Amino acid sequence: MRKSPERAILCTAAIIDKRTFLEHDGAWFMLELLLQNFLKKEVNPERDIVTQASDTQKRMQEILTDKLTQGEDLPSLLNDENFLFGSAIRGTQPAPFDDIDMMLVLDGSLLHAIEGGLTVGTAYGSGKNSNVLLTAPYLDANGFISSQKILNRIRSVLAETYSRSEIRKDGQAINVWMDSYGFGIDVVPAFKISSPTRGDHYYIPFGTGSDMWQATNPHADLLAFEAADPQLNGVLRPTAKLMRKWNELSNANRLSGFHVDALVYRSLVGKDIRTLRSAVSTCLGAFDSLLASVCLQFSGFQPHICHKLSEEDRRKSIEATQRARGAITSAATSGLLGVSPQTLDAWDGIFGGKLR
């Protein structure tokens, strides 16, 4: 039986829509391949940096344990409590790989954590009945243990073995450069704190020349990423690497790496994300609103992640996000299939011309 004209028109439209859909999907697939190739060649570290750093950590701990027991005026370590943490362990650090973080947990025998004049926890210790950290060389003007004095003392001990040891510019760690590996270890002195209300966490130097300490828990950061990545079809960590590269190439590194990781996490978690292209687009669509407010630590402790971000850098980062989003959105409308030469140019541009 002959089809009606209306039926014929509907069938033709359906064929066009299917063909357009397939071509459109294939074109976006090409962009996905470009992102994956960029990730592989320009972003991912070429070597097993974590294994190398783990070996170095063990050796450094042995050296420090030996040296710190040689002097009665030196702090001691808490056995089996030191660990690697940060972006390398979360799997979000892009190449070139220049450092890895190591938590150096000190013996906190007889020490208590005090905030606002109130005791909020007790430091883990070996159980000894004295602690050199309670003597004058380690105390600030108010009689509290100085994070800066501990940093300086541990740096001097490390420098005996590692000549290229210096306190990092933010004053929270001692960077030990490993010539044999071509990367540095950021040694962060810390106390492990037991708190009935906050659970176990850590005190690390506040930095910026302050004698004070700040609470944190890097285990919470790691657990958040480990839980969310499979729910996001494995795109969370690679997207964090890509957005760190965007921050480097298109935002003058105004945001800290940890801040970028947190923004990516909060942009994507709970969403149905299956491709890098979709993940990056979603991040660019959410970063400006997230940047307009403070970025809390995953553990909930203060200060917030972006407490050192200047208002000027915050504003410029918001503008950079909006420019990138505007560029790829505008270019996407220039071709029927969504991926025109202008679209590829726009995506290439937000990654510093290194995508193709």
Side-chain angles (χ1 to χ4, degrees):
M1 181 173 63
R2 185 179 181 183
K3 297 178 182 178
S4 67
E6 292 82 3
R7 176 68 173 172
I9 291 171
L10 289 173
C11 287
T12 303
I15 292 171
I16 292 173
D17 285 346
K18 182 177 181 180
R19 182 174 66 246
T20 302
F21 171 78
L22 290 173
E23 291 174 348
H24 178 277
D25 193 53
W28 281 123
F29 182 67
M30 177 177 66
L31 177 56
E32 186 73 12
L33 287 178
L34 286 174
L35 288 169
Q36 291 179 4
N37 190 56
F38 175 65
L39 190 68
K40 180 180 179 180
K41 291 187 174 182
E42 299 287 340
V43 181
N44 286 337
E46 296 179 354
R47 53 203 173 113
D48 189 356
I49 203 82
V50 174
T51 298
Q52 292 176 338
S54 182
D55 293 340
T56 303
Q57 173 211 359
K58 293 175 184 176
R59 176 60 180 153
M60 186 179 293
Q61 181 175 331
E62 292 172 357
I63 292 172
L64 277 169
T65 300
D66 180 60
K67 287 184 175 295
L68 292 174
T69 54
Q70 292 178 10
E72 295 182 357
D73 62 335
L74 297 175
S76 55
L77 304 183
L78 197 58
N79 291 335
D80 301 320
E81 289 290 348
N82 305 299
F83 59 93
L84 300 177
F85 70 104
S87 57
I89 306 303
R90 286 195 303 275
T92 60
Q93 173 75 6
F97 205 102
D98 56 359
D99 61 63
I100 190 167
D101 300 318
M102 172 183 169
M103 192 77 80
L104 189 72
V105 182
L106 304 176
D107 188 338
S109 295
L110 306 179
L111 304 184
H112 300 277
I114 298 175
E115 295 182 14
L118 300 175
T119 299
V120 296
T122 302
Y124 277 80
S126 62
K128 62 184 181 181
N129 56 13
S130 65
N131 195 324
V132 68
L133 297 177
L134 291 172
T135 61
Y138 293 98
L139 303 180
D140 64 16
N142 297 310
F144 295 107
I145 295 174
S146 164
S147 62
Q148 290 301 305
K149 289 184 178 181
I150 287 180
L151 277 165
N152 286 323
R153 182 56 64 93
I154 293 176
R155 182 213 171 269
S156 66
V157 172
L158 282 168
E160 294 174 6
T161 303
Y162 305 100
S163 58
R164 293 178 64 182
S165 302
E166 60 183 20
I167 294 178
R168 210 172 56 188
K169 288 182 180 179
D170 62 11
Q172 287 187 299
I174 306 120
N175 182 266
V176 179
W177 183 256
M178 315 300 295
D179 282 317
S180 57
Y181 289 134
F183 64 81
I185 300 246
D186 277 346
V187 180
V188 182
F191 294 104
K192 185 177 181 180
I193 306 297
S194 173
S195 169
T197 57
R198 299 177 171 186
D200 287 353
H201 58 283
Y202 298 86
Y203 268 14
I204 65 173
F206 189 86
T208 61
S210 171
D211 289 313
M212 301 297 288
W213 301 81
Q214 70 177 57
T216 189
N217 187 0
H219 298 311
D221 313 331
L222 180 60
L223 288 173
F225 271 75
E226 286 182 339
D229 199 45
Q231 296 175 4
L232 289 164
N233 303 291
V235 302
L236 177 60
R237 289 185 173 100
T239 302
K241 291 180 185 178
L242 287 173
M243 293 309 296
R244 279 176 174 237
K245 273 296 180 181
W246 164 82
N247 180 51
E248 172 193 334
L249 299 170
S250 295
N251 191 40
N253 263 334
R254 294 187 180 95
L255 305 175
S256 72
F258 187 27
H259 193 182
V260 174
D261 287 354
L263 293 173
V264 170
Y265 177 91
R266 286 164 181 150
S267 297
L268 302 183
V269 72
K271 297 182 174 64
D272 183 18
I273 304 292
R274 298 179 181 274
T275 65
L276 292 175
R277 185 262 306 175
S278 177
V280 171
S281 295
T282 300
C283 288
L284 292 175
F287 268 28
D288 55 345
S289 60
L290 290 173
L291 281 165
S293 58
V294 298
C295 186
L296 301 177
Q297 291 192 48
F298 289 93
S299 57
F301 291 114
Q302 293 289 344
H304 48 75
I305 293 172
C306 58
H307 72 281
K308 295 180 181 178
L309 181 68
S310 70
E311 286 307 308
E312 180 182 9
D313 282 346
R314 186 186 300 275
R315 175 181 58 79
K316 288 183 177 179
S317 297
I318 291 173
E319 292 172 352
T321 299
Q322 293 170 340
R323 281 197 304 272
R325 181 177 67 228
I328 63 174
T329 300
S330 176
T333 63
S334 63
L336 173 64
L337 302 181
V339 181
S340 64
Q342 292 88 341
T343 301
L344 294 179
D345 287 344
W347 279 84
D348 193 36
I350 69 173
F351 290 110
K354 297 185 176 183
L355 194 60
R356 291 190 286 177

